Amino acid sequence: MSDLLSRDDVEAARRRLAPYLSPTPLRRAFSVPGGRGWLKLECWQPTGSFKVRGALSILTALDASERGRGIVAASAGNHALGVAFAVQALGGDMPATLFVPETAPRAKVDKLRTFPVTVVEAGATYDEAAARAVEHAARTGATIVHAYEDTRTAAGQGTAGLEILEQLPEVGVIVVPVGGGGLVAGIGTVVKEARRDVRIVAVQAAASPSLRDSLAQGRALLEYAAAPTLADGVAGGIGEIAFAHRHLIDEVVVVPEAEIEEAMAALVSHDQVIAEGSGALAVAALRSGRVSAPEGRPAVAVVSGANVDARVLGRLLARG
């Protein structure tokens, strides 16, 4: 694949994913005022996150030699879960070492340890865990399965965009949480190729506006010193692939912690949907009015993940 994705890349990824993943539901959002909000429930993936799309896209593209040498990945939690699921789905005999920061939510780490993979908790941040993964790859020859800086990852994540277009052809705006940016690059590619009139809005936590600042500085901020945030899954820098696809993004918005917390509680109370902080970003942007749907057309919020610590969710619901 070239540095820029095409719809053909994403369609090829969908064919590879089809034996292992079903399309996720798209349903009306009662948590979004006005009656024109819809939820793309990536939080209902078998690992609780959209990341499984990208992981499967890469692993199903590896040849026998690459599988034999094993794989390695770094993740704040959700990508590692996607890789672990992919390893198991493909037979469970592929050596896999997954590095996660010591600060990763326990809900994600505990789930990760149920898969046939080696889990290593290393470093206080994703960037430190990623450095350990690179060292492991250099030492062992394992293939790095990157969470976002690989066109195969972005193509797999873009399959969610194909589903949205098919499930809701009249969509007017799609609001996409952005961390590393593979998801927005993939969705933007297929949506803009088919429907230039559909707006793509990227949303980040105010504690980590790395895409906004990258656009302002004219370069991808690969590392970013994020403030503490419930949206830990999108904290840190963006990738070069996301920056290369910035022309597909119509707007970037940031939401403060209070609005993320409120959106998480609203999703439970109004939609009976559990979302982690990163997963609730798009709903937060719509609820606050920072993003609005075009007149007469619906807005889709990508609910990207559900792996929130039960104690955190309990505290939010108790306050609400």
Side-chain angles (χ1 to χ4, degrees):
M1 285 187 283
S2 65
D3 291 337
L4 287 181
L5 293 170
S6 70
R7 185 183 178 110
D8 287 345
D9 297 328
V10 181
E11 292 281 11
R14 177 156 70 169
R15 290 192 293 272
R16 296 198 302 273
L17 269 56
Y20 309 102
L21 294 178
S22 299
T24 54
L26 182 71
R27 75 179 205 197
R28 182 182 169 192
F30 294 97
S31 54
V32 175
R36 287 190 284 137
W38 291 74
L39 305 176
K40 180 58 173 169
L41 294 172
E42 289 299 290
C43 53
W44 286 8
Q45 289 283 8
T47 60
S49 163
F50 78 98
K51 292 284 190 178
V52 68
R53 293 181 186 264
L56 268 168
S57 178
I58 292 184
L59 266 62
T60 52
L62 298 181
D63 61 29
S65 174
E66 290 171 316
R67 294 188 186 191
R69 291 196 302 271
I71 61 169
V72 62
S75 169
N78 282 337
H79 175 59
L81 284 167
V83 173
F85 176 90
V87 169
Q88 185 175 68
L90 294 173
D93 57 354
M94 192 185 315
T97 303
L98 307 178
F99 289 86
V100 298
E102 296 162 357
T103 51
R106 300 319 305 175
K108 298 178 183 180
V109 177
D110 291 345
K111 189 184 295 186
L112 187 58
R113 293 188 183 279
T114 68
F115 289 93
V117 297
T118 299
V119 181
V120 181
E121 296 184 58
T125 66
Y126 166 78
D127 289 334
E128 292 176 12
R132 290 286 301 276
V134 170
E135 292 170 2
H136 177 90
R139 185 172 63 253
T140 65
T143 296
I144 296 176
V145 182
H146 203 284
Y148 51 86
E149 202 72 291
D150 189 309
T151 51
R152 295 168 297 183
T153 304
Q157 293 168 357
T159 59
L162 293 174
E163 293 172 16
I164 292 170
L165 291 176
E166 293 164 359
Q167 292 166 325
L168 193 67
E170 64 272 29
V171 61
V173 59
I174 302 174
V175 189
V176 186
V178 172
L183 181 63
V184 75
I187 289 178
T189 293
V190 297
V191 170
K192 289 298 188 181
E193 187 170 326
R195 295 278 305 280
R196 298 293 302 181
D197 61 308
V198 177
R199 296 178 66 241
I200 300 295
V201 177
V203 58
Q204 294 192 295
S208 186
S210 54
L211 175 58
R212 182 197 68 185
D213 291 356
S214 293
L215 295 177
Q217 296 184 31
R219 62 187 179 93
L221 299 175
L222 305 181
E223 296 184 4
Y224 195 91
T229 175
L230 271 176
D232 58 275
V234 296
I238 68 161
E240 293 284 6
I241 288 175
F243 193 72
H245 290 78
R246 63 192 181 278
H247 60 287
L248 304 174
I249 300 171
D250 294 290
E251 184 181 4
V252 179
V253 301
V254 298
V255 294
E257 288 298 298
E259 291 177 9
I260 299 172
E261 295 176 3
E262 197 270 343
M264 292 171 69
L267 278 162
V268 173
S269 60
H270 296 303
D271 293 303
Q272 294 71 56
V273 168
I274 293 175
E276 60 192 272
S278 305
L281 280 172
V283 171
L286 288 168
R287 282 182 62 82
S288 66
R290 297 176 191 277
V291 179
S292 58
E295 186 64 34
R297 296 173 64 185
V300 171
V302 179
V303 184
S304 56
N307 293 308
V308 59
D309 188 289
R311 292 167 296 181
V312 172
L313 185 61
R315 287 198 297 270
L316 294 180
L317 294 175
R319 287 212 303 265

Short mmCIF file of all heavy atoms in Angstrom, two decimals, residues 69 211 245 254 274:
data_model
loop_
_atom_site.label_atom_id
_atom_site.label_comp_id
_atom_site.label_asym_id
_atom_site.label_seq_id
_atom_site.Cartn_x
_atom_site.Cartn_y
_atom_site.Cartn_z
N ARG A 69 8.25 -15.86 13.15
CA ARG A 69 9.17 -15.04 13.95
C ARG A 69 8.46 -14.37 15.12
O ARG A 69 9.11 -13.83 16.02
CB ARG A 69 9.83 -13.97 13.07
CG ARG A 69 10.80 -14.54 12.04
CD ARG A 69 11.70 -13.45 11.49
NE ARG A 69 10.95 -12.36 10.87
CZ ARG A 69 10.59 -12.35 9.59
NH1 ARG A 69 10.86 -13.38 8.81
NH2 ARG A 69 9.94 -11.31 9.10
N LEU A 211 -3.46 16.56 17.82
CA LEU A 211 -3.79 16.80 16.42
C LEU A 211 -3.97 18.30 16.17
O LEU A 211 -3.44 18.84 15.19
CB LEU A 211 -5.04 16.04 16.02
CG LEU A 211 -5.57 16.30 14.60
CD1 LEU A 211 -4.51 15.98 13.55
CD2 LEU A 211 -6.85 15.52 14.34
N HIS A 245 -3.10 12.40 6.23
CA HIS A 245 -4.51 12.38 5.80
C HIS A 245 -5.30 13.56 6.39
O HIS A 245 -6.53 13.53 6.40
CB HIS A 245 -5.17 11.06 6.22
CG HIS A 245 -4.66 9.88 5.43
ND1 HIS A 245 -3.45 9.27 5.70
CD2 HIS A 245 -5.20 9.20 4.39
CE1 HIS A 245 -3.27 8.27 4.87
NE2 HIS A 245 -4.30 8.20 4.06
N VAL A 254 -11.90 20.00 20.66
CA VAL A 254 -11.42 19.40 21.91
C VAL A 254 -12.49 19.57 22.97
O VAL A 254 -13.24 20.56 22.97
CB VAL A 254 -10.09 20.03 22.37
CG1 VAL A 254 -8.99 19.80 21.34
CG2 VAL A 254 -10.25 21.52 22.64
N ILE A 274 -21.99 1.33 27.81
CA ILE A 274 -20.81 1.63 28.61
C ILE A 274 -19.69 2.05 27.67
O ILE A 274 -19.37 1.34 26.71
CB ILE A 274 -20.37 0.41 29.45
CG1 ILE A 274 -21.43 0.11 30.51
CG2 ILE A 274 -19.02 0.67 30.12
CD1 ILE A 274 -21.15 -1.15 31.31
#
